[in-house]
Amino acid sequence: GMILVVDDDPDVRDVVELVLKDEGHAIAVAADGASALELIMRRKIRPDLILTDFNLPNGMDGVQFARRVQQAQGRVIPVIILTGDISTVALREISAEHCVQLNKPVKLTELTATIQRLLPPDPAGARQAAEAPATIGPVIFVVDDEAHIRNSIRTVLEADGRVVEDYASCEAFLAAYRPGGEACLLIDGYLPGMTGLELLKHLSEAGHQLPAIMITGNSDVSMAVRAMKAGASDFIEKPITGSDLLASIDQALEHAHDSHKHDAWKDSATVHLAGLTPRQRQIMEMVLAGHPSKNIAADLGISQRTVENHRAAIMKKSGSKSLPALARLALAAAWRDGDKPPA
């Protein structure tokens, strides 16, 4: 079943998520009631059971949250309340909403047994699932050294029905990775040990055709350019939004699956940059290499205002809303023309 876990303690969320996934459940996690409600509304998840702490931050306790979810979805959902608060008022609130209370610290055997007892049976669905051939979608490999980022990305992807494997380092990913099957790599640009760029180069040299997306810092254009030159099909900037993440993954998988669409994307990029003058192309390459306007002006012997005017014209002619978008176009167009990508 789909279990929604709401707790402001990240250690509790991690342990519960690990245990319940081992039991075969699909899991979505949130730190408070407001973010959990947003997860339900935006990602359209339908929890079969809610597991929530009673004392949640930001003005909504576990009972109030459970009530809001059931009202929004128009159905009764089993609710387990975890609490160390044994006051009469708290017990009365929990009992009034027909929630099951488990005192902290809860034993995992007691928790899993309670979940199995409360989850609604679905014999018809189970029979159909047993009779149907097993299908596994593309695996999304997430490599990031920060656990909360991996968990956040996993939550978004699994809520969208994706299959996710996450790793804290490039070395751990390589130890587990087996080529074959449809997959996509989502990797942070800055990692201790082997860096994201080094991993992309390693995969390319080994001949693995694994579509990859680099996670970069805000407006870190030079890293983005290096990532795409190293083999990344795209890059996304922090902070990451769920819609951008899903769109980038779909595009990477689609391009890897259909070379004609990839070629069409490159053709489109060439058309967008066709109107640039030689001077504008020169300035574009210097901008994408990370040079500020002041330095470009000094190197070219022109005024800084002239450089800014050229930059504005480049953005307008290319239809780019940001420097990262311009970097995508420039690299794609360079590869289509057979030219050397921007330095």
Side-chain angles (χ1 to χ4, degrees), residues 62-339:
V63 172
Q64 293 168 336
F65 162 69
R67 187 187 304 125
R68 288 275 298 274
V69 173
Q70 296 186 89
Q71 289 172 348
Q73 300 215 334
R75 61 193 178 99
V76 177
I77 305 172
V79 179
I80 299 175
I81 301 288
L82 302 180
T83 180
D85 185 347
I86 56 174
S87 68
T88 303
V89 174
L91 293 175
R92 187 181 298 119
E93 286 187 44
I94 295 171
S95 177
E97 293 297 324
H98 306 289
C99 302
V100 175
Q101 178 201 351
L102 294 179
N103 292 328
K104 287 186 175 182
V106 64
K107 295 181 179 179
L108 293 178
T109 53
E110 180 185 13
L111 175 61
T112 55
T114 304
I115 289 173
Q116 292 300 330
R117 176 170 59 85
L118 293 176
L119 277 176
D122 184 14
R127 182 170 61 253
Q128 292 172 0
E131 294 172 354
T135 57
I136 300 178
V139 179
I140 312 301
F141 298 112
V142 180
V143 183
D144 197 295
D145 60 323
E146 298 188 63
H148 72 279
I149 292 180
R150 295 199 307 274
N151 291 337
S152 297
I153 293 175
R154 175 184 281 275
T155 297
V156 171
L157 296 182
E158 289 186 338
D160 197 59
R162 312 296 177 119
V163 180
V164 182
E165 294 183 17
D166 64 82
Y167 303 91
S169 67
C170 297
E171 291 84 355
F173 164 74
L174 285 174
Y177 176 60
R178 297 295 179 269
E182 194 174 9
C184 181
L185 172 63
L186 186 64
I187 183 167
D188 185 32
Y190 299 97
L191 291 169
M194 177 184 281
T195 66
L197 284 173
E198 290 171 341
L199 175 60
L200 292 180
K201 292 175 182 177
H202 175 85
L203 292 173
S204 178
E205 292 169 356
H208 300 316
Q209 301 300 314
L210 177 63
I213 300 167
M214 178 71 77
I215 302 173
T216 70
N218 185 34
S219 297
D220 192 351
V221 179
S222 60
M223 167 62 83
V225 171
R226 293 198 302 273
M228 295 189 74
K229 289 171 69 175
S233 59
D234 199 1
F235 59 92
I236 50 179
E237 298 176 276
K238 294 178 180 179
I240 306 168
T241 66
S243 58
D244 287 344
L245 177 62
L246 295 171
S248 185
I249 290 173
D250 286 339
Q251 185 180 60
L253 290 170
E254 187 177 13
H255 286 172
H257 190 261
D258 192 336
S259 61
H260 296 296
K261 291 181 179 179
H262 201 185
D263 289 343
W265 173 60
K266 293 178 179 179
D267 287 337
S268 176
T270 302
V271 170
H272 274 84
L273 297 181
L276 299 184
T277 66
R279 173 66 89 182
Q280 288 168 349
R281 284 182 173 270
Q282 182 184 26
I283 290 176
M284 178 186 70
E285 293 195 1
M286 297 177 78
V287 168
L288 296 183
H291 301 299
S293 296
K294 180 179 179 180
N295 293 3
I296 295 174
D299 290 342
L300 299 181
I302 57 179
S303 70
Q304 185 171 339
R305 184 177 184 84
T306 300
V307 173
E308 295 293 347
N309 289 337
H310 278 306
R311 288 185 60 161
I314 292 167
M315 302 301 284
K316 183 176 180 180
K317 288 182 178 181
S318 67
S320 301
K321 301 296 184 182
S322 64
L323 286 179
L326 179 63
R328 292 187 184 94
L329 279 178
L331 286 167
W335 290 334
R336 161 55 71 211
D337 294 340
D339 298 334

